[in-house]
Amino acid sequence: MIKQALVVGAGYLLPRIAPSIVPSDFGLSGDILGSLHPALTFALRNWVPALMILVLGAWYVGVMAAPSVRITTQRVILTKGFFVRTCDEIELFRVRDVVASQTLLQRLAGVGNVTIEASRDLKAETFELSSFDRPFEIRELVRDAWAKVGQPQRTLNVD
């Protein structure tokens, strides 16, 4: 679908950007637009290409800003943000509980939340993975990695 949108967008934009490169019968030009209503012709020539560029740009920013989670043998790493990238991690041996949840709207969209509860020194810490695809699979992956590392360890600091 994205390829089709790019091809259609190129069909509209290329004759306007570089008319010497593109033949005059490429895309919607000449006789086809001349036979349409003037308001529709104006919209096709000016507003549709701009709207397509905005939609594709918003999609690209959304994909690049989407958070990602990486589960290694030692930690869970969450990376999020577009302009400011943030990387947060939790050591697997500190994990106490992993909870996956979905609201009705999230189930319809196929996304959900995963909450990882961990301990850091003597206080609890939560690690929220919001609006991720397949939250229950992510929960199982974290639990499997957690089981391989071993159950939570107690640490004792001696001064």
Side-chain angles (χ1 to χ4, degrees), residues 1-13 44 46-59:
M1 175 161 162
I2 294 170
K3 283 185 181 179
Q4 293 169 344
L6 291 174
V7 168
V8 170
Y12 286 123
L13 294 176
L44 287 174
N46 299 304
W47 295 106
V48 171
L51 183 62
M52 289 177 64
I53 289 172
L54 285 174
V55 167
L56 289 174
W59 172 80

Side-chain angles (χ1 to χ4, degrees), residues 4-71:
Q4 293 169 344
L6 291 174
V7 168
V8 170
Y12 286 123
L13 294 176
L14 284 178
R16 283 133 190 96
I17 295 171
S20 62
I21 299 173
V22 181
S24 62
D25 60 346
F26 184 78
L28 291 178
S29 61
D31 297 329
I32 295 173
L33 284 181
S35 64
L36 296 175
H37 189 274
L40 183 59
T41 303
F42 179 80
L44 287 174
R45 283 193 175 149
N46 299 304
W47 295 106
V48 171
L51 183 62
M52 289 177 64
I53 289 172
L54 285 174
V55 167
L56 289 174
W59 172 80
Y60 180 75
V61 168
V63 167
M64 294 305 294
S68 65
V69 64
R70 196 171 81 211
I71 302 167

